[in-house]
Amino acid sequence: MTDRRLSNSTRQALPASVAVPGYDRNRVVPGIVHLGVGAFHRAHQAAYVDDCLAAGEMDWGIVGVSLRSADTRDALAPQDGLYTLAVRSSDSESLRVVGSILSMLVAPEDPGAVLAALTDPRTAIVTLTITEKAYLRAAGGGLDTAQADIVHDLANPQMPRTAHGFLAESLARRRAAGIQPFTVLCCDNLPANGATLRRLLVEFAALRGTDLARHIADEVAFPSSMVDRIVPATTDADRARISGQLGVDDAWPVMTEPFCQWVVEDDFPAGRPAWERFGVTMVGDVGPFEDMKLRLLNGSHSAIAYLGLLSGFETVDRAFADPAIRQFVDGLWAEAITTLPKDAGLDTTDYTAQLAKRYSNTALAHRTAQIANDGSQKLPQRIIASAMERMSDGAPPAYLMLVVAAWIAACETRGKSLPESHFTDPLDLALAALDTRHLSAGEAVAAVFDLAGFAKGGAERLTLIDLAAAHLERLRQGGVAAAFTVLGIEGE
């Protein structure tokens, strides 16, 4: 490691091969507050905003907010918010220093500072990447009003802990001060994510008072968006390698792939950057793009993760190189494609070809365990929705339901052939309790469907349980190879 850190004072001395912000960061005005500054945001939205700043749109700097950990703030603050984005393919890598994050706040340390940033009249957009589980939905999809942090935020609106609490309180303050509402732009993998967040926030606000709920429902814009870029976790080896190339230390560079996509509904009453100049697709309805991404990319990612874990593969590229898993993914795509809208102009052939190329990228080393996290929150929109549509059309979702069974089997394998905490899920305590009961495959699947709320109220629910249970029994008895054999997939 070197004696110097990446910062405003050292960025101009970086090697010529490293792209650096060419604009005066002192002139940038904060116009966006982002909740949930993780690696994905820094590889995706922050990079697009950085492009806009470089083009002279200086009113769109980002104030980053961590709702839980101080790790990102502690890494970036000594670097003046700068970090390296390493874009890696199987045979090349390019480095870019991103300067769009002007400051970082940690909500548990100073919720008042976060509320002040959200209430600032210059803040026109609030973006979110807080992961699916942070939306605190109950099994039926509505707000979990019994969740401890929700209860706290309703009792202590001046000291919120959740995204719901921060958004509601800041919008109430803006309204009281006569300040135009900001636009709320969800960038998480939720179905109809803008409408979903709007519904949850209105539910939360209604518990504070009908006037606030009505104001949010009527006056605040919640455009939906679809985001797509693979961003594996940064390793210590990545940090050492990037710092060596820079000649200065970067405490938290971000690794990503060349592919990057962002589709956004164009509804920004308070203004927005000209994102379309830099590859963002601005549309009237993001739904078809979102469905294609959730069901083809995210769905197959989950499949590769759970089947890969059960097969002993640590990374996506190694799992996808397995001929049987590769053949399974093709079958999964074939099932999911039939559930996508036929009249939306979606090119699924090109999209899946690009996915195959991306999954084969050996430089990313995207860990299957990282993708495996939070399956109970991810599978409803990635897998269950497609399976229910297949059933309603009279078509069997055999490949889709194997993904659900593989998730359950992978959870059961933790503490045995996999480490105890190899991946995590919000339902881990309840899942562990099920495991101690030594349930049959059918009993286990039914119990998990109840816990996770899968297909709740759907006429297809019992059939889906039966399909997943049959797969789980084969996984328990003969592993992935046995489950594949029933689908006509033979390994080498």
Side-chain angles (χ1 to χ4, degrees):
M1 301 293 281
T2 67
D3 294 329
R4 296 188 303 163
R5 287 284 285 273
L6 175 65
S7 67
N8 283 332
S9 62
T10 61
R11 62 175 171 152
Q12 298 304 331
L14 298 179
S17 58
V18 179
V20 298
Y23 52 88
D24 182 356
R25 297 185 76 217
N26 292 320
R27 293 182 50 237
V28 177
V29 175
I32 299 171
V33 173
H34 182 81
L35 306 183
V37 182
F40 182 82
H41 168 70
R42 294 194 287 135
H44 194 271
Q45 298 99 32
Y48 281 112
V49 172
D50 192 60
D51 288 334
C52 293
L53 297 176
E57 294 189 72
M58 306 298 278
D59 295 335
W60 297 109
I62 298 170
V63 176
V65 176
S66 290
L67 292 175
R68 292 287 181 263
S69 170
D71 291 351
T72 305
R73 188 276 313 276
D74 292 347
L76 297 188
Q79 301 180 179
D80 301 317
L82 297 172
Y83 61 91
T84 309
L85 184 60
V87 180
R88 308 186 71 189
S89 63
S90 294
D91 54 7
S92 66
E93 177 179 66
S94 62
L95 303 184
R96 167 187 179 182
V97 174
V98 176
S100 54
I101 298 178
L102 304 182
S103 61
M104 281 286 301
L105 303 173
V106 180
E109 291 181 1
D110 193 350
V114 177
L115 287 171
L118 291 166
T119 310
D120 188 327
R122 298 175 297 180
T123 298
I125 301 171
V126 176
T127 53
L128 300 89
T129 51
I130 57 178
T131 75
E132 291 94 333
K133 63 185 176 183
Y135 289 88
L136 306 176
R137 292 170 294 163
L143 183 69
D144 184 357
T145 57
Q147 201 275 341
D149 287 340
I150 293 292
V151 173
H152 170 276
D153 285 4
L154 291 170
N156 303 276
Q158 312 296 318
M159 300 285 288
R161 296 174 181 170
T162 68
H164 313 68
F166 279 109
L167 291 172
E169 176 62 16
S170 58
L171 285 167
R173 293 185 181 188
R174 293 175 77 101
R175 182 189 186 201
I179 302 170
Q180 182 180 12
F182 45 66
T183 296
V184 183
L185 178 60
C186 179
C187 300
D188 280 302
N189 288 320
L190 300 172
N193 57 12
T196 298
L197 177 53
R198 177 183 181 275
R199 175 173 50 80
L200 291 168
L201 190 58
V202 169
E203 284 184 44
F204 177 87
L207 299 173
R208 291 187 39 164
T210 55
D211 285 349
L212 178 59
R214 189 178 302 110
H215 171 69
I216 292 173
D218 295 343
E219 303 298 333
V220 181
F222 292 84
S224 287
S225 73
M226 186 277 281
V227 298
D228 190 359
R229 198 170 211 185
I230 295 172
V231 185
T234 301
T235 66
D236 289 340
D238 291 327
R239 289 182 176 87
R241 179 175 50 80
I242 297 300
S243 295
Q245 294 182 59
L246 296 177
V248 296
D249 287 346
D250 185 345
W252 209 332
V254 179
M255 309 299 113
T256 193
E257 61 172 335
F259 182 91
C260 193
Q261 186 179 27
W262 197 6
V263 183
V264 183
E265 290 177 351
D266 201 357
D267 182 15
F268 292 82
R272 65 168 177 82
W275 281 316
E276 65 272 22
R277 294 178 57 192
F278 304 100
V280 179
T281 304
M282 306 301 299
V283 298
D285 179 14
V286 78
F289 298 91
E290 174 191 75
D291 287 345
M292 183 168 68
K293 190 257 183 171
L294 282 170
R295 299 182 183 191
L296 300 187
L297 183 145
N298 296 123
S300 61
H301 239 183
S302 290
I304 293 167
Y306 300 124
L307 294 168
L309 287 171
L310 294 172
S311 303
F313 295 113
E314 293 187 1
T315 61
V316 168
D317 62 290
R318 292 177 183 175
F320 194 65
D322 178 79
I325 292 179
R326 177 69 178 84
Q327 187 178 343
F328 174 82
V329 171
D330 283 337
L332 181 71
W333 281 336
E335 284 190 355
I337 285 170
T338 65
T339 71
L340 296 174
K342 307 296 188 295
D343 56 354
L346 301 176
D347 187 344
T348 57
T349 300
D350 178 68
Y351 190 72
T352 52
Q354 288 191 62
L355 289 181
K357 181 179 180 181
R358 296 165 68 190
Y359 292 165
S360 301
N361 186 343
T362 59
L364 287 182
H366 199 182
R367 294 176 61 246
T368 48
Q370 180 187 357
I371 301 165
N373 289 321
D374 306 330
S376 66
Q377 302 289 303
K378 295 174 178 177
L379 291 181
Q381 53 266 24
R382 297 182 178 196
I383 299 295
I384 300 295
S386 296
M388 293 178 70
E389 289 193 29
R390 288 273 298 179
M391 289 291 298
S392 65
D393 291 338
Y399 285 77
L400 288 157
M401 294 318 294
L402 178 52
V403 182
V404 178
W407 168 61
I408 297 172
C411 290
E412 293 178 345
T413 305
R414 291 178 298 177
K416 300 167 188 173
S417 59
L418 291 175
E420 183 70 40
S421 300
H422 200 52
F423 61 91
T424 61
D425 192 278
L427 296 181
D428 273 343
L429 289 177
L431 292 170
L434 290 181
D435 203 29
T436 64
R437 293 165 54 189
H438 306 291
L439 301 175
S440 69
E443 293 169 333
V445 171
V448 169
F449 266 61
D450 287 341
L451 283 172
F454 290 167
K456 187 175 182 179
E460 309 87 354
R461 183 174 181 275
L462 292 179
T463 304
L464 296 181
I465 289 174
D466 288 343
L467 286 169
H471 283 312
L472 180 60
E473 180 63 24
R474 286 185 282 269
L475 289 168
R476 285 178 171 181
Q477 297 300 321
V480 172
F484 280 171
T485 298
V486 175
L487 297 175
I489 298 173
E490 300 290 345
E492 290 188 339

